[in-house]
Amino acid sequence: MKDLEARNPAQPEFIQASREVIESIIDVVNSNPKYLENKILERITEPNLIHEFKVEWENDKHEIMVNKGYRIQFNNAIGPYKGGLRFHRAVTLGTLKFLGFEQIFKNSLTGLPMGGGKGGSDFDPRGKSDAEILRFCRSFMTSLFKYIGPEIDVPAGDIGVGGREIGYLFGQYKRLTQQHEGVLTGKGLNWGGSLVRPEATGFGTMYFANEVLHAHGDDIKGKTIAISGFGNVAFGAVLKAKQLGAKVVTISGPDGYIYDENGINTDEKINYMLELRASNNDVVAPFAEKFGAKFIPGKKPWEVPVDMAFPCAIQNELNAEDAATLHKNGVKYVIETSNMGCTADAVQYFIKNRIVFAPGKAANAGGVAVSGLEMSQNSMKLNWTAEEVDAKLKNIMTNIHASCVKEGKESDGYINYVKGANIAGFKKVADAMVDLGY
């Protein structure tokens, strides 16, 4: 860790993610001579390639704007690099390295042949016109296309990169390469996309959560749930929670959170979440006004007494103080759905107090799993039905849960899902690196 910190100054999120993984797997590494001899820890924490480039584009006032663009190709031992593109003003190299590192193990857990990568830009699409976003995406892809391909690196969407942005990026890729190939996932349904992809992360986290409850002699039906965020991930989670018989009572945005004690469980309420997101305002207060729910400005939803909590917004959104509040109010399960949504001390609090906690690399793997299924459909030049994709997603999440239990069950019966997910994800990649001499 000292060496890693020295090589990666001012990258606290990457160091946090690395420490969590290394602390979980260190006994496995130390007991396996081939991992030590092949310096797996030293190699797996260093990206294979980092591409950094300038993105010049013209705004609607005909002014030249300049942003930074990145693609982190972290590890491709088990398959092509795979991971999203994030367009957000807070994007830094360190942010993307943490996300790319997490992606290695998340992708490994799915059982699909995908390596780990991540990319993006400090470009903020909020408040930009469609024409400005189009010009930015064209410029971004003009630099990126040289480094990606269906058997090299297959980016997807992430925060700030939805169907519109993927369309503009794919259009420029086609213009530059004259190829229609599965080089991006999250594509539109009429030009190579997969059904269930927008909802996949939210659907997957609920499938995983239901497996967690079953492993503890419980069921998700009738449970009250607090969710943060209101984008595609939260939308999918709310929709699947409704289908499974649970009641989501909160969603949140940067302006605060809403509390709907009747539950966000009607088609009208769920669809209005999408309308709010599409409005590009990033606020949830109008939901409360429309449906008579309570709006609590400037706060997070973790103060609401619930059975289950699902951080679905952004990294480090739930801290140790929030963890203690949830515990005091009787929370039984915390399912981390955003990438590293809980701070390290919050995770330690949950484990120390034997609260069931599932880490994002396991619980939110549904998004990249369906991206992998989209890659398969593109390769075979066919489309599966929504029911087929959903069934495959459920099976993948069930298998991920089983892997976590196998590697994470402790002597007192407590399932340490953090340890289980890290060990299961690590072993597959590490063994491939040894086998390949890679």
Side-chain angles (χ1 to χ4, degrees):
M1 286 307 305
K2 286 181 180 178
D3 289 343
L4 200 61
E5 289 171 7
R7 291 200 310 272
N8 299 276
Q11 295 180 8
E13 293 158 324
F14 174 57
I15 296 301
Q16 178 186 340
S18 300
R19 184 180 295 279
E20 182 219 75
V21 171
I22 291 169
E23 287 178 347
S24 295
I25 66 175
I26 194 65
D27 290 341
V28 172
V29 173
N30 286 336
S31 63
N32 196 321
K34 68 179 181 180
Y35 295 157
L36 294 170
E37 293 166 7
N38 286 276
K39 299 286 186 183
I40 296 298
L41 279 187
E42 289 83 353
R43 292 163 56 202
I44 207 168
T45 52
E46 193 66 39
N48 289 348
L49 291 163
I50 296 177
H51 304 290
E52 185 173 352
F53 46 89
K54 177 175 61 176
V55 186
E56 297 180 357
W57 58 283
E58 187 179 285
N59 68 15
D60 289 341
K61 297 177 182 178
H62 304 293
E63 298 169 333
I64 299 297
M65 309 298 290
V66 180
N67 288 96
K68 287 187 173 183
Y70 306 90
R71 187 64 182 173
I72 314 296
Q73 294 175 329
F74 223 113
N75 187 291
N76 64 345
I78 63 173
Y81 302 106
K82 185 83 190 79
L85 297 170
R86 177 174 292 193
F87 292 169
H88 191 278
R89 62 186 178 276
V91 161
T92 65
L93 180 61
T95 303
L96 296 177
K97 284 177 68 175
F98 124 65
L99 292 166
F101 183 69
E102 289 275 291
Q103 201 78 44
I104 300 169
F105 309 105
K106 182 192 305 185
N107 293 359
S108 172
L109 284 168
T110 68
L112 300 173
M114 301 181 294
K118 205 72 178 183
S121 173
D122 58 359
F123 170 78
D124 189 350
R126 293 184 305 172
K128 305 291 193 302
S129 69
D130 283 353
E132 288 175 322
I133 291 171
L134 172 60
R135 290 192 290 271
F136 174 83
C137 287
R138 283 177 173 172
S139 181
F140 184 87
M141 182 54 76
T142 299
S143 292
L144 181 66
F145 90 100
K146 300 185 288 290
Y147 312 122
I148 62 176
E151 300 300 331
I152 301 169
D153 185 350
V154 184
D158 194 81
I159 293 172
V161 180
R164 171 184 57 181
E165 289 77 17
I166 292 292
Y168 294 158
L169 291 165
F170 189 58
Q172 183 68 355
Y173 180 85
K174 287 186 64 176
R175 184 177 291 109
L176 294 166
T177 65
Q178 297 300 303
Q179 300 286 329
H180 188 105
E181 53 192 10
V183 74
L184 291 164
T185 56
K187 298 185 292 297
L189 292 176
N190 55 345
W191 40 277
S194 174
L195 290 163
V196 188
R197 177 59 190 93
E199 309 92 345
T201 304
F203 279 19
T205 198
M206 286 297 162
Y207 284 140
F208 189 89
N210 208 21
E211 291 299 312
V212 169
L213 270 69
H214 288 164
H216 292 81
D218 207 344
D219 192 271
I220 200 168
K221 190 172 183 179
K223 294 290 185 290
T224 55
I225 293 174
I227 282 178
S228 63
F230 68 109
N232 282 343
V233 176
F235 166 76
V238 171
L239 182 58
K240 185 56 67 175
K242 174 195 170 189
Q243 293 173 6
L244 294 174
K247 183 169 75 169
V248 176
V249 294
T250 76
I251 56 173
S252 71
D255 56 333
Y257 74 91
I258 68 99
Y259 172 57
D260 187 340
E261 60 183 342
N262 295 318
I264 305 169
N265 53 10
T266 66
D267 291 341
E268 185 182 10
K269 289 179 179 179
I270 294 170
N271 289 332
Y272 189 65
M273 288 176 60
L274 288 184
E275 291 180 33
L276 279 177
R277 187 67 175 177
S279 70
N280 231 7
N281 291 324
D282 267 9
V283 293
V284 293
F287 185 101
E289 297 170 11
K290 184 175 179 67
F291 296 108
K294 296 178 182 177
F295 172 64
I296 297 85
K299 299 188 78 173
K300 297 179 287 186
W302 315 126
E303 61 187 10
V304 177
V306 289
D307 300 312
M308 307 181 74
F310 287 74
C312 290
I314 200 166
Q315 68 264 16
N316 290 328
E317 58 177 294
L318 193 158
N319 59 34
E321 184 180 347
D322 300 322
T325 301
L326 283 166
H327 186 201
K328 179 182 176 182
N329 287 334
V331 76
K332 296 180 178 65
Y333 308 93
V334 179
I335 312 296
E336 185 182 53
T337 306
S338 48
N339 290 305
M340 207 166 72
C342 298
T343 61
D345 52 1
V347 175
Q348 291 167 5
Y349 181 94
F350 290 133
I351 294 173
K352 179 181 177 181
N353 288 277
R354 287 327 206 209
I355 294 168
V356 179
F357 172 78
K361 65 171 60 70
N364 76 13
V368 75
V370 174
S371 282
L373 297 177
E374 182 177 329
M375 291 167 64
S376 298
Q377 292 171 82
N378 292 165
S379 296
M380 294 185 286
K381 300 295 190 290
L382 55 77
N383 294 101
W384 293 319
T385 65
E387 291 75 18
E388 288 175 310
V389 175
D390 196 31
K392 292 176 190 295
L393 170 62
K394 184 177 181 181
N395 185 58
I396 288 170
M397 299 310 296
T398 300
N399 290 338
I400 292 174
H401 179 265
S403 297
C404 292
V405 172
K406 178 183 176 183
E407 301 290 354
K409 195 163 189 176
E410 299 185 345
S411 57
D412 63 356
Y414 179 74
I415 302 172
N416 187 332
Y417 285 97
V418 174
K419 184 177 180 180
N422 286 331
I423 293 175
F426 171 80
K427 279 184 173 180
K428 181 178 179 181
V429 179
D431 289 344
M433 291 172 70
V434 172
D435 292 345
L436 296 170
Y438 186 74

